[in-house]
Amino acid sequence: MSVYRELLRLYPAGFRNEYGEEMCAVFEEKRRRASGFFQVSALWVEVLFDVIRHAIPLHADSVWQDLRYTGRSLLRAPVFALTVVLVAALGIGANTAVFTVVDHVLIRPLPFQGADRVVRVWESPPGYTRMEVSPPNYRDWQSTVTSFDAMAAYNRTSANVVGQGDPERIQGAALGAGLLPILGVAPVLGRDFSEDDSVEGAPATVILSYGLWRRSFGGDPRALGRTIVLDDEQHVIIGVMPPGFMFPDRRGEYWTALQLGPNDYGDRNNNYLEVIARLQDGVSLEMARAEMAQVMRQLAIAHPAENESKTATVKRCPGRAPSH
Amino acid sequence: MDILGAMTNSKPSAHDFLPLPLATFHILMSLANGERHGYAIIQDVSARTDGALELSAGTLYRSIQRMLEQGLIVEARRRPASIRDDQRRRYYRVTPLGRDVARAETARLLELVQFARASGFVPAT
């Protein structure tokens, strides 16, 4: 009997509460009259099919009744109904907008191979977990840390563009050589920055976003080698990035070579570089964090005035990471 | 059958319910001569059809639920003395509307049979 009661749970609760006991009484009568293995088995088969055959339509009826009731209620108060629809639409719209942002910023992995190995690294003085890195500390990280097979810095910039249609203010970044390979992207036209471009005093070069290239040069491949004036300084166009590449955020449209010289390396309190790196194969995030902590302890001993009590923060890139 | 119309109008016509589902018609026939509880209806239908139609519990109570909503039957208040009865049982009886619907269904089927006979579909004897 308990098995039959369990089967009745497949019916909607309202139906079960109304007729469950009577159905149990009917089942008991039928069970009493069934004798022998075959009759009892046949009864159970009948009961099983009976429950399946009727429970599903009853659930559907229940849903349909709810829908009809809702429809009638809304039709009786059209203003209220309209308000409900508008509020629901606004809610869904806001939810979609927030999710789209969250999806891009927090959930969706970076669209290149090995994106899960890319990390961001910050200095972490007391009270701060994410502080930009000073060029001297960055240089020391590059030369000592072994958890990463590549590390590169960048610096957010903006510039006035003149001479290519209307003057406009555009956002971009100065990229250290090797940064684009860490992201797993390369110019669709022209070339990436070389070590030579990153030497202080080297001719100014620039890589354009696909959109800026189309906008300013009509998508002409002969734009390579021509110059563009950024903040009154001539820059030679050496490349064009693929469509959709945006860095360091969605506004990024141009990239110059990050040039660091002796003056930049002279001050460990001048924190302005953002750093990304790629984990070596076989190195976990925790291992990289442990090594960075060890390196920062060494730097604190070597340069106590600037690095005392500092540690480092290492986080995976998806999130506020570079994206394209 | 415009059941929705039948349920929302104040006085539904018997014809609104036609054609009747087979189980519904049998239940109405079973209650034609008095009140019965669920299992008694199953037994009565089975006996009247020589075992050809054995209503399952699901079919019976789903039909009863719908017939109560449509006003074709009501739950009877009178019941046998408790010593002779299972208290879980409920007894049902047919309403005047239920009788009208059963008559209308009978007329519909008779007419159908006449059409069938006129078409030469006479049962072999």
Side-chain angles (χ1 to χ4, degrees):
Chain A
M1 197 62 214
S2 59
V3 176
Y4 186 72
R5 283 188 185 280
E6 287 302 312
L7 275 175
L8 289 182
R9 297 176 73 85
L10 293 173
Y11 283 106
F15 184 84
R16 189 173 63 244
N17 294 337
E18 191 68 27
Y19 303 106
E21 286 304 317
E22 281 184 87
M23 293 173 81
C24 285
V26 169
F27 176 76
E28 279 178 12
E29 292 283 354
K30 287 193 171 187
R31 176 69 186 84
R32 221 178 347 256
R33 286 164 193 264
S35 57
F37 175 77
F38 289 108
Q39 282 191 8
V40 173
S41 300
L43 176 62
W44 276 110
V45 170
E46 177 201 315
V47 160
L48 191 62
F49 279 99
D50 188 45
V51 169
I52 293 170
R53 183 179 152 209
H54 293 288
I56 293 171
L58 278 167
H59 279 287
D61 284 350
S62 178
V63 171
W64 177 234
Q65 277 180 10
D66 288 348
L67 287 174
R68 273 173 35 199
Y69 175 75
T70 305
R72 282 201 299 268
S73 301
L74 292 177
L75 284 175
R76 273 199 297 270
V79 175
F80 173 73
L82 195 64
T83 308
V84 167
V85 170
L86 281 175
V87 168
L90 283 173
I92 292 166
N95 192 32
T96 305
V98 169
F99 179 77
T100 303
V101 173
V102 170
D103 179 38
H104 272 83
V105 174
L106 295 175
I107 300 173
R108 190 179 298 184
L110 296 177
F112 49 79
Q113 199 171 10
D116 60 330
R117 310 291 297 163
V118 178
V119 296
R120 297 189 72 187
V121 193
W122 293 269
E123 288 185 17
S124 181
Y128 297 91
T129 55
R130 299 179 186 185
M131 177 179 274
E132 284 83 1
V133 184
S134 69
N137 277 353
Y138 166 62
R139 183 179 58 187
D140 290 340
W141 288 359
Q142 272 194 311
S143 61
T144 54
V145 179
T146 59
S147 295
F148 308 121
D149 64 12
M151 179 184 276
Y154 64 92
N155 181 31
R156 291 167 196 262
T157 57
S158 58
N160 295 322
V161 191
V162 294
Q164 308 293 333
D166 294 332
E168 59 178 324
R169 185 81 176 164
I170 55 175
Q171 308 294 318
L175 309 183
L179 188 139
L180 293 181
I182 291 176
L183 297 181
V185 290
V188 70
L189 198 66
R191 65 173 177 85
D192 188 5
F193 298 115
S194 66
E195 293 289 348
D196 291 342
D197 296 315
S198 303
V199 174
E200 192 177 44
T205 50
V206 66
I207 296 175
L208 306 182
S209 74
Y210 196 83
L212 181 60
W213 173 58
R214 293 292 299 267
R215 199 162 70 236
S216 297
F217 296 94
D220 185 355
R222 290 172 299 181
L224 289 182
R226 289 170 62 180
T227 58
I228 185 171
V229 179
L230 301 171
D231 281 348
D232 299 329
E233 187 183 357
Q234 301 271 358
H235 286 70
V236 177
I237 300 168
I238 63 167
V240 175
M241 292 305 287
F245 177 80
M246 289 167 281
F247 182 84
D249 56 38
R250 294 185 171 276
R251 296 172 301 169
E253 288 199 291
Y254 80 99
W255 302 277
T256 56
L258 178 67
Q259 297 181 345
L260 298 174
N263 287 340
D264 299 294
Y265 289 121
D267 185 357
R268 284 184 190 268
N269 280 326
N270 191 12
N271 295 57
Y272 64 91
L273 295 179
E274 297 183 58
V275 175
I276 65 170
R278 190 174 53 226
L279 291 169
Q280 290 270 21
D281 285 343
V283 174
S284 69
L285 190 62
E286 287 65 35
M287 292 162 71
R289 284 173 173 159
E291 190 192 6
M292 283 304 302
Q294 174 63 24
V295 167
M296 286 310 291
R297 280 194 290 274
Q298 291 168 356
L299 286 176
I301 294 169
H303 308 282
E306 301 93 345
N307 285 334
E308 190 176 17
S309 304
K310 268 187 189 171
T311 180
T313 298
V314 184
K315 282 193 174 291
R316 288 195 194 280
C317 252
R320 301 176 56 77
S323 62
H324 91 265
Chain B
M1 176 168 60
D2 183 7
I3 290 298
L4 182 61
M7 291 172 66
T8 51
N9 289 342
S10 55
K11 283 191 175 179
S13 156
H15 289 278
D16 293 334
F17 296 88
L18 305 188
L20 276 185
L22 185 64
T24 301
F25 195 27
H26 272 289
I27 293 169
L28 286 173
M29 287 189 280
S30 180
L31 298 177
N33 294 319
E35 299 159 359
R36 290 183 197 272
H37 57 75
Y39 187 65
I41 295 173
I42 292 175
Q43 285 181 306
D44 181 63
V45 171
S46 177
R48 196 149 11 88
T49 59
D50 286 334
L53 181 61
E54 182 96 15
L55 294 178
S56 68
T59 302
L60 175 72
Y61 286 103
R62 206 174 141 208
S63 301
I64 284 177
Q65 182 193 40
R66 189 166 50 234
M67 293 167 77
L68 285 167
E69 286 171 0
Q70 293 170 338
L72 303 183
I73 58 172
V74 289
E75 191 178 334
R77 292 191 179 168
R78 283 184 307 168
R79 55 186 309 137
S82 59
I83 195 164
R84 293 169 45 212
D85 193 31
D86 184 337
Q87 289 303 299
R88 292 174 299 180
R89 289 174 178 166
R90 282 189 290 184
Y91 289 74
Y92 304 95
R93 67 179 163 81
V94 68
T95 64
L97 175 63
R99 288 186 190 282
D100 288 347
V101 170
R103 285 191 199 102
E105 176 69 355
T106 306
R108 185 186 72 83
L109 291 174
L110 280 173
E111 189 178 47
L112 199 63
V113 169
Q114 285 170 4
F115 289 152
R117 285 184 185 279
S119 303
F121 295 127
V122 179
T125 53

